[in-house]
Amino acid sequence: MSLHPSVPATLPEPVGAPYFHYEHGELYAEGVPVSDLARLHGTPLYVYSRAALRAAWQRFADAINGRDALVCYGMKANSNLAVLREFARLGAGFDIVSGGELARVQAAGGDPGKVVFSGVGKQTWELEAALHAGVRCFNVESVAELQHLSATAARLGLKAPVSLRVNPDVDAHTHPYISTGLKENKFGIAIEEAVAAYRLAAKLPGLEIVGVDCHIGSQLTEIDPYLDALDKLLDLIDALAAENIRLRHLDIGGGVGIRYRDEQPLSLRALLDEVFRRVAARGHGNLQLVMEPGRSLVGNAGILVTEVLYLKHAEAKNFAIIDAAMTDLIRPTLYDAWHGVLPVKTPASDTAAAHYDIVGPVCESGDWLARDRQLALRQGDLLAIESAGAYAFVMSSQYNTRPRAAEVLVDGTVAHLIRKREQIAELFASEMLPPDA
Ligand code: LLP
């Protein structure tokens, strides 16, 4: 493919602005030039902004506006201890999906009393750990789990607080891989079967019913799917009240979308105003609202910084081969997801711009991070992959024996290393050689 001698005229506005922004043609994370971080810590490197985390939290606080709601951070999106600690200090609870995540909450100083435990396949040791920790609630996803949880709690002489995760069968209008509220998904108890499941829960000795829960999908940009699910949940709450089964909270899950490219994020305030209005109108204003946002608290608070290793101008395509890979950010190849790619420095005026596929070093054709992006690149340039605060590091792998990257949290003009780059030797330190035959 031919090269065009034109440089993109202006630097794009980062989706993580103002926490990521250009100053004198250089990308900054808050008050720190991104190129300084790359020099100090190497690449690939995840860079998070503490102010962006706080601002994202504040958007929820503002939308709640003093009403009775608990935000349980869906920590699967980014479970670095420093990120958890930040949200714990701000008063967050946590939505966990494993015993490992519970251990992280505890290590970060989070309050187990504000933890909701979701997931379709909780193991016995995980139930026990959560019971001992005193989590606020188990979001139970099947009748079999209800029975097992009751037996486990009774064996320990404890009562498990439960909420049933109901599958309301609504279409969240999002990517099929991250849509969870449809009948055909593995998640939750079908809404038609929910009353019977609650009746059973009320009878089981090891359980205490505390709430109802749903999570219909991720990266939602519309309010309506939430409201459709809410209306179904409210019908269920009425039906339960008629049987004298009373709840303390109503959990509408996570799923609030962010801007990767040109998405219009939904208005949290409009969503919550309408949720509180409908709940009150149905006479359930006593219920505490619980939410489980993940991506919207962290997604645009992070970037992935990477170096261009080689440029390759093949017949059909131009490739920029970078030192980050699908092992660092699997979303593009897994969901066909779009992430912005920013130059860390304004390209020199004599650098030719071209359309590049941005690909990693991993031996898979699926190892691409962005496609067909117009960029003016030279070998050795730094790039920032945007929206890498959520579902990036947490989904990283060591495939091809690639050490997982370091993570840095920027706070004003200071950068804290919050995860060391893995050393090659660590990658096989747990492996053992059998005796020679
Ligand atoms: N609650 C439950 C029960 C969930 O399953 C999830 C996400 C959340 C809360 C948080 O959802 P969020 O607010 O982050 O949308 N790896 C995919 C996303 C998977 C989401 C799984 N569940 C991605 O990279 O887009």
Side-chain angles (χ1 to χ4, degrees), residues 76 95 165 178 215 218 255 292-295 331 335 391 395:
K76 64 172 76 65
D95 167 46
R165 173 162 176 192
I178 50 178
H215 170 80
S218 204
E292 304 169 354
R295 187 188 323 260
R331 302 192 71 256
Y335 312 119
Y391 303 114
M395 296 179 83

Side-chain angles (χ1 to χ4, degrees), residues 197-253:
Y198 271 100
R199 270 186 213 131
L200 172 68
K203 280 197 221 116
L204 288 172
L207 306 182
E208 184 197 358
I209 296 171
V210 296
V212 64
D213 159 55
C214 76
H215 170 80
I216 53 176
S218 204
Q219 184 55 16
L220 272 64
T221 51
E222 296 165 21
I223 287 178
D224 286 347
Y226 281 105
L227 299 178
D228 293 347
L230 176 69
D231 288 343
K232 293 191 175 187
L233 255 48
L234 287 169
D235 290 343
L236 172 63
I237 293 168
D238 282 345
L240 295 175
E243 306 204 9
N244 221 12
I245 297 176
R246 313 249 166 226
L247 311 180
R248 277 182 253 149
H249 76 244
L250 161 62
D251 181 345
I252 59 170

Side-chain angles (χ1 to χ4, degrees), residues 28-143:
Y28 275 65
E30 299 192 26
V32 181
V34 168
S35 58
D36 285 2
L37 295 172
R39 202 174 316 117
L40 203 62
H41 300 285
T43 52
L45 178 72
Y46 300 89
V47 177
Y48 308 126
S49 151
R50 189 176 225 166
L53 296 176
R54 290 188 183 149
W57 175 264
Q58 194 56 41
R59 280 195 289 278
F60 278 86
D62 289 345
I64 291 166
N65 195 26
R67 293 173 286 198
D68 188 15
L70 176 66
V71 176
C72 293
Y73 166 51
M75 63 177 279
K76 64 172 76 65
N78 184 328
S79 56
N80 184 289
L81 295 190
V83 172
L84 302 185
R85 168 81 66 124
E86 192 64 38
F87 288 129
R89 290 237 166 98
L90 290 166
F94 297 91
D95 167 46
I96 65 167
V97 290
S98 70
E101 287 193 345
L102 176 61
R104 280 184 179 273
V105 169
Q106 292 172 311
D111 176 1
K114 290 187 186 170
V115 164
V116 299
F117 190 174
S118 304
V120 290
K122 305 178 191 80
Q123 301 171 52
T124 306
W125 73 268
E126 295 177 308
L127 298 175
E128 288 172 355
L131 283 162
H132 286 307
V135 298
R136 179 197 174 86
C137 167
F138 292 84
N139 289 339
V140 173
E141 304 224 13
S142 64
V143 169

Side-chain angles (χ1 to χ4, degrees), residues 398-409:
Q398 299 159 329
Y399 184 40
N400 282 200
T401 306
R402 288 171 51 85
R404 283 179 298 174
E407 295 174 287
V408 162
L409 179 67

